[in-house]
Amino acid sequence: MAAFNTLVDVDRLWQDIMALADITEPGKPYTRRSFTPRFLAGRAYLIEQFKAAGLEVRIDTAGNLIGRRTGAKPHAKTIMMGSHSDTVPSGGRFDGIAGVVAALEVARALRDAGIELQHNLEVVDFLAEEPSEYGLSCVGSRGMSGQLTNAMLDFTGPQDERLGDALIRVGGNPVKLPEAIRKDDIAAYLELHIEQGPVLEQSKTDLGLVTGIVGITRLEIAFQGAADHAGTTPMHMRRDALYAAAQAVTAIREQAEALASEPDGYFVATVGILTLEPGGANVVPEQAKVIVDIRTGKREKTLRFLESIDAATQDAAEKARVERSSFKTLSDTMPMDCDLGLLDDLAKSADALGHSHLQLASGAGHDAAFIGQLAPAAMVFVPCLGGRSHTPEEWAEKHDIAAGAAAMFAAVRRFDERTPVTNQTHNSI
């Protein structure tokens, strides 16, 4: 066994992950949706552990839970680590949670070893990284990066509650949202995550060093036709909205395959939602809506895709004799390249610990994609069983998570030692 257990406490780390797993909706393992009582119970557990680790705890105005350890030079910038503690429905015990707990364990290991960093250190549980009931993901990291807009705060969720009001319920303050923005005081950001894919497991590799995170664009396309009797309306007289939507889905798949086949970068597009009205077996569909999830590491590919689908869906509407009533972007995040210096710190740390590693891109979105717009950022992946995630069967071995946490511990020290301390220009307290 490699030497990671000399750096972090494997059992302590695992105990926290399992304790959070027990905080779940009854009959729905493992579910802690953001803004719910179970989510707040998970946060209460984390607050207790943050304080026990000697961290100064607060919730910023964007609803992020932050534990802070002041460095030798308190006016220096901050090394930040973290992830999220919310889950998708029946989502799993490790997605996000492993990253928060690993960051906490790094802070505890530094304390246990009596190591004082030059920089300040923060452990962050970002609010609502998963798509929330308010139609928005990465709420906390959007807020910290200045990308949580007033229009987003007006999104509504259960019982027509505004996102801004929900933010108040979990300790945030939408009126003072600009105070959460961290433009100048983050020196580096590191995040551990399960891979959510099969590459590490199949290649029997200990760690994945993430080269970049895809940009994610979500697009809504809607068609308006006319409801008619399915038995008495001749085919040539129909204004079938679903016929147009079906052509759109075909165009989306074909164009995505063409872009994915190009050698210069990852590209996928998925139609995950297709709705129609009125939804009767004997009624020609009057309305059809398609939601498209677009992911790529190359922004220009997204722009080319949107241009192509714009033209294709206009043609589809004309062919089906319907109106294309909507073609709008619901959300849009830029691709993020991970910092080469931090990746080198992680690689050298993994080598020193005897852990194998490889480079790979992340096809999933993460809070790092937003924080990486503020400061150098990098991620480390650990294997998960069968590459499965967002399911109750999601699983990662405790020694694999500890290996990633140990690499982060060593990388934090490398960064702290090699990086000249500069004063922050934004008060982060």
Side-chain angles (χ1 to χ4, degrees):
M1 187 63 65
F4 65 80
N5 56 2
T6 64
L7 302 181
V8 301
D9 188 323
V10 182
D11 293 330
R12 182 170 58 187
L13 184 156
W14 189 252
Q15 179 181 342
D16 283 337
I17 293 174
M18 292 300 106
L20 285 166
D22 287 340
I23 304 172
T24 180
E25 294 290 342
K28 295 181 179 179
Y30 296 90
T31 302
R32 278 191 318 281
R33 299 292 286 148
S34 56
F35 303 102
T36 66
R38 288 294 189 279
F39 171 73
L40 292 174
R43 276 255 169 118
Y45 177 84
L46 285 172
I47 288 171
E48 180 181 335
Q49 301 309 311
F50 280 19
K51 289 181 176 178
L55 302 177
E56 178 185 350
V57 181
R58 68 188 179 96
I59 295 177
D60 72 8
T61 58
N64 299 306
L65 173 63
I66 301 173
R68 182 177 175 87
R69 182 176 189 260
T70 301
K73 298 183 179 179
H75 296 293
K77 292 186 178 183
T78 297
I79 300 172
M80 185 178 286
M81 304 174 295
S83 195
H84 62 97
S85 66
D86 65 308
T87 75
V88 299
S90 299
R93 288 162 278 191
F94 302 94
D95 176 359
I97 291 88
V100 176
V101 174
L104 170 61
E105 182 55 32
V106 169
R108 290 189 294 213
L110 288 166
R111 177 203 60 188
D112 294 348
I115 296 170
E116 184 179 36
L117 301 176
Q118 297 298 303
H119 294 82
N120 301 304
L121 184 77
E122 288 186 355
V123 177
V124 184
D125 171 28
F126 290 101
L127 176 65
E129 190 267 359
E130 303 289 4
S132 68
E133 304 301 330
Y134 301 83
L136 192 68
S137 61
C138 296
V139 173
S141 51
R142 286 178 195 269
M144 190 176 284
S145 61
Q147 298 179 62
L148 185 59
T149 66
N150 288 331
M152 292 172 180
L153 292 173
D154 284 335
F155 288 180
T156 57
Q159 288 76 53
D160 292 326
E161 182 185 35
R162 291 177 60 253
L163 175 58
D165 295 329
L167 185 57
I168 294 171
R169 283 198 295 105
V170 298
N173 188 337
V175 175
K176 296 183 178 181
L177 196 57
E179 294 181 11
I181 299 173
R182 305 283 292 274
K183 285 188 175 178
D184 301 305
D185 71 306
I186 303 174
Y189 175 75
L190 290 170
E191 180 171 350
L192 178 145
H193 208 281
I194 60 170
E195 182 194 352
Q196 301 180 286
V199 174
L200 295 177
E201 183 185 58
Q202 290 187 5
S203 64
K204 301 186 185 305
T205 305
D206 297 327
L207 301 175
L209 307 185
V210 181
T211 56
I213 302 170
V214 295
I216 303 176
T217 302
R218 290 197 173 98
L219 175 68
E220 176 187 281
I221 309 168
F223 299 96
Q224 178 70 43
D228 285 303
H229 195 290
T232 61
T233 308
M235 298 302 293
H236 71 281
M237 297 179 66
R238 297 183 180 209
R239 298 180 58 221
D240 186 342
L242 182 56
Y243 178 38
Q247 294 177 67
V249 172
T250 300
I252 289 163
R253 176 58 182 253
E254 291 176 347
Q255 181 61 15
E257 287 183 337
L259 289 169
S261 68
E262 296 177 354
D264 62 335
Y266 183 82
F267 187 93
V268 293
T270 305
V271 175
I273 298 176
L274 174 60
T275 60
L276 61 103
E277 297 289 342
N282 61 344
V283 183
V284 175
E286 179 179 25
Q287 298 176 350
K289 182 186 295 183
V290 172
I291 305 296
V292 192
D293 181 291
I294 306 155
R295 302 183 184 222
T296 179
K298 299 287 186 180
R299 180 63 177 176
E300 63 89 15
K301 286 197 170 190
T302 297
L303 298 178
R304 286 165 54 198
F305 179 81
L306 292 174
E307 182 179 5
S308 172
I309 299 306
D310 185 10
T313 52
Q314 290 186 60
D315 290 344
E318 183 177 349
K319 184 176 181 180
R321 296 184 294 276
V322 301
E323 176 189 355
R324 192 187 70 177
S325 55
S326 176
F327 187 90
K328 65 180 180 181
T329 299
L330 300 177
S331 61
D332 194 24
T333 60
M334 299 295 110
M336 193 276 287
D337 291 329
C338 288
D339 180 72
L340 295 178
L342 288 174
L343 289 174
D344 186 59
D345 289 334
L346 286 167
K348 289 177 178 176
S349 298
D351 289 338
L353 292 164
H355 297 314
S356 59
H357 55 87
L358 56 77
Q359 291 191 342
L360 72 171
S362 172
H366 300 283
D367 291 306
F370 286 93
I371 307 307
Q373 298 173 37
L374 304 176
M379 293 187 68
V380 56
F381 281 169
V382 298
C384 57
L385 182 64
R388 301 190 68 195
S389 183
H390 290 185
T391 171
E393 290 74 38
E394 176 183 276
W395 184 259
E397 296 293 338
K398 68 177 181 180
H399 288 96
D400 290 335
I401 299 172
M408 288 223 310
F409 173 96
V412 164
R413 293 198 64 193
R414 287 178 186 276
F415 177 85
D416 185 60
E417 292 170 358
R418 72 171 171 83
T419 306
V421 173
T422 56
N423 289 348
Q424 58 181 311
T425 57
H426 174 88
N427 184 9
S428 62
I429 299 298

